[in-house]
Each structure stands twice: as C-alpha cells, then as structure tokens.
C-alpha cells in the first residue's frame, strides 16, 4: 500500500543536526528536479525579500519564512514526519505509534511537496515554505515542473498494491496515476454526512485518523474494494463510486456525522 499525503502549511522548526543532503532521500530519481527547485528557491529568498514574499504568496506576518528558505542548505534537518504538523498530522500522530506501525508508516507514507516533489516520513529535511501552487521565476509552475520526473518515479514506488490518495487538489497536479496503477488507486473525500459538504478541518483530521487506523491495525489492502471493506470493519461509513471503465481511479466518500 502506498499512501499519498499533502504536506502541511505549518511546519516545525528545523533540527540542530546535520544539514540537508539530497543523495540519501527516498526516490532518488527526483534529485535533479529537487536540486533545481532548491537552487532557485534559495537564490530567490537570499535576494529581494519583497519579491520573494510575492512569489511565495506570503503575508507581511510571514516575512520570516523568506529568511528560513534562504538558509535551507545550512539549516539542520530532521525526519519529514516531525517537520510536517497541522490537523492531518496531529490526528495521525506518528510519534505515538508502536514500533511495528512506525515501520509500516516508513514504508507506505509519501508526502508530496512543492520543494521536494515527494518524501517519505523518515527522510531528513529542513523546515521550509514553498507550496505546489508557487510559480518560480525560472522554473515556472511547480506542479508542471514535477510532472515528468514524477511520471518516471512514482509508478515503481506504487508497487503492485493499493494507492490511497489523500492529497489536496494542488498536489494532484504533480502526479496523476494512469492505466493499471489508476485502476488500483482510491481517492478519498471526507464529507459531513447531513450536508454532504467537505469541511476543511474535519476532512484533514479524519484522513489522519484513517491512516492511523490502517497503520495500527496492520491492514494493507491490495485494492480499492478491499480498502472499502477494511474501512467499514474499522467503523467508518463509506460510500463508493467505482470507475466507469478500466484504468480510472475509484472515489470513496467517508461520511462523518459530527464536525470535530
């Protein structure tokens, strides 16, 4: 099972350990594309601060994020699972998992990123600010920048099991499963049952709980149909929209009665 996660906008501070090294990161086929984004982002943020804030879409109150990016090559790095915070990651609570569940998380979780493309939770990275929606002056839209390298690397990373896609729309632009991989991909929405509307907070929290439930139970469904059964066994109310034809992803709606 491969679980595709969005990053969090908010991030913990960089660690005090050794600085970033691209070579040890998972999915080494992405390293050239990572280096290109890293080089331009650091150059942008070392230069005109106001221009950098404009490009990155940062408010005046987030001016400090520009300085953080300027130091990416020297800042301490720590596991990505510790860097990403926010509602989904609070609900997932990687730190409190038992040893077996942590090993499953290291194997199966893949966090998408405007800067790194995608990383596993044990990959060591510094704290940064660069969303997938950013258009860098030299590279252009990051969603477009990542498509070709992702298309080369991700099908192999997906293996032959389920691909559980929990990404937000901005991050789906970087890679869309195709063909046989799409046929075993399940995209999940979390809806408020009485209204059938997506509400951001409990959407993220419930996705974090779903991943935690699967990791804790040691469940690794081979495909979308098995995922539906597993989620129902775990107590989730799930509605399914199977694809109309082969080579298309499944859509699963998880219904939540209370917003929390």
């Amino acid at each position: 099972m491969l679980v595709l996660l969005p990053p969090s906008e908010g991030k913990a501070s960089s660690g005090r350990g050794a600085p970033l090294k691209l070579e040890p990161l998972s999915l080494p086929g992405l390293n050239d594309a990572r280096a290109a984004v890293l080089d331009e982002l650091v150059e942008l943020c070392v230069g005109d601060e106001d221009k950098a804030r404009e490009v990155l879409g940062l408010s005046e109150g987030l001016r400090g994020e520009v300085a953080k990016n300027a130091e990416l090559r020297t800042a301490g790095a720590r596991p990505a699972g510790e860097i990403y915070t926010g509602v989904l990651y609070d609900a997932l609570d990687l730190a409190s998992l038992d040893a077996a569940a942590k090993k499953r998380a290291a194997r199966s979780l893949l966090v998408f990123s405007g800067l790194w493309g995608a990383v596993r939770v044990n990959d060591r990275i510094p704290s940064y600010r660069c969303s997938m929606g950013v258009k860098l002056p030299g590279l252009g839209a990051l969603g477009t920048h990542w498509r070709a390298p992702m298309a080369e690397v991700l099908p192999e990373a997906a293996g032959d099991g389920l691909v559980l896609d929990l990404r937000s729309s901005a991050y789906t632009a970087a890679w869309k499963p195709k063909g046989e991989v799409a046929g075993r991909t399940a995209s999940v929405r979390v809806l408020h049952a009485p209204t059938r509307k997506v509400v951001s907070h409990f959407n993220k929290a419930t996705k974090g709980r779903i991943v935690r439930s699967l990791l804790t139970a040691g469940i690794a469904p081979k495909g979308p149909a098995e995922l539906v059964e597993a989620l129902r066994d775990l107590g989730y109310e799930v509605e399914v929209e199977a694809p109309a034809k082969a080579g298309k992803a499944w859509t699963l709606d998880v219904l939540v009665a209370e917003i929390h």
Side-chain angles (χ1 to χ4, degrees):
M1 177 175 68
L2 183 68
V3 182
L4 311 181
L5 297 174
S8 59
E9 189 171 273
K11 298 174 183 69
S13 62
S14 295
R16 294 185 177 181
L20 169 74
K21 291 184 178 180
L22 291 179
E23 293 78 10
L25 295 181
S26 302
L27 310 178
L30 299 179
N31 278 348
D32 286 347
R34 287 166 173 156
V37 180
L38 181 62
D39 287 345
E40 184 164 352
L41 182 61
V42 170
E43 182 179 357
L44 172 71
C45 292
V46 167
D48 187 326
E49 187 176 274
D50 289 331
K51 179 182 178 181
R53 282 201 304 114
E54 180 181 356
V55 170
L56 297 174
L58 301 177
S59 67
E60 174 67 30
L62 293 173
R63 183 176 289 271
E65 299 294 289
V66 175
K68 178 194 293 185
N69 284 347
E71 298 175 353
L72 281 171
R73 292 194 176 279
T74 57
R78 58 196 291 193
E82 297 176 12
I83 290 289
Y84 294 114
T85 59
V87 176
L88 188 154
Y89 292 90
D90 284 347
L92 174 53
D93 196 7
L94 287 167
S96 69
L97 293 173
D98 63 30
K102 285 180 179 177
K103 288 181 180 179
R104 297 182 195 110
R107 290 194 304 266
S108 62
L109 304 188
L110 198 61
V111 184
F112 274 62
S113 161
L115 174 52
W116 315 115
V119 292
R120 297 195 184 275
V121 292
N122 285 350
D123 285 332
R124 298 181 65 85
I125 58 173
S127 186
Y128 67 98
R129 190 65 171 249
C130 183
S131 72
M132 190 66 79
V134 165
K135 294 182 180 180
L136 291 174
L139 293 178
L142 291 179
T144 302
H145 170 75
W146 285 112
R147 282 178 196 162
M150 289 283 195
E152 290 289 328
V153 171
L154 266 292
E156 181 178 354
D160 59 2
L162 171 74
V163 177
L164 175 53
D165 192 351
L166 303 178
R167 296 173 296 168
S168 52
S169 58
Y171 291 88
T172 61
W175 183 61
K176 295 182 180 180
K178 296 181 179 179
E180 184 270 337
V181 178
R184 48 188 167 86
T185 296
S187 178
V188 173
R189 301 185 303 177
V190 180
L191 305 181
H192 184 215
T195 64
R196 288 302 198 275
K197 292 181 178 179
V198 174
V199 179
S200 178
H201 179 88
F202 80 83
N203 172 53
K204 295 175 182 177
T206 302
K207 286 179 177 178
R209 293 185 191 111
I210 286 171
V211 177
R212 183 180 178 86
S213 295
L214 293 171
L215 294 173
T216 301
I219 299 172
K222 287 292 185 182
E226 289 184 28
L227 174 64
V228 173
E229 292 181 10
L231 291 178
R232 287 172 175 165
D233 288 345
L234 289 168
Y236 293 96
E237 183 179 354
V238 184
E239 293 181 350
V240 185
E241 183 181 332
K245 58 182 179 180
K248 298 293 183 182
W250 291 49
T251 299
L252 275 57
D253 288 338
V254 175
L255 305 182
V256 182
E258 297 182 3
I259 301 175
H260 60 92

